[in-house]
Amino acid sequence: MSTPTTFWRLAGMSYTQYVTRAASTMRAALKEPAKTKAMGNETFSYNAAKWDAGAPIAKVPISNLSAAGK
């Protein structure tokens, strides 16, 4: 008997990649003016703290996923 797997995992994607792609596709399918309003929700930003010896030393602004975790 095989183990059931979700379709996004079978496609070689993580859940986060799947949700991001699905949200972008839904936003692109909308008609104006809802499309313009929804595209504004696609951007994000947060501050990541750099730590040294158990204390935060600097905050680094993150505005895209490729910069996260570096």
Side-chain angles (χ1 to χ4, degrees), residues 13-63:
M13 296 190 302
S14 69
Y15 180 72
T16 305
Q17 290 170 324
Y18 162 70
V19 169
T20 301
R21 186 169 292 182
S24 295
T25 302
M26 282 300 301
R27 288 185 196 111
L30 292 172
K31 293 182 180 177
E32 292 297 338
K35 183 176 186 175
T36 304
K37 186 177 178 182
M39 287 300 197
N41 295 336
E42 194 168 33
T43 59
F44 74 96
S45 64
Y46 69 93
N47 291 326
K50 298 247 183 198
W51 293 76
D52 186 29
I57 56 172
K59 288 188 177 181
V60 179
I62 305 294
S63 60

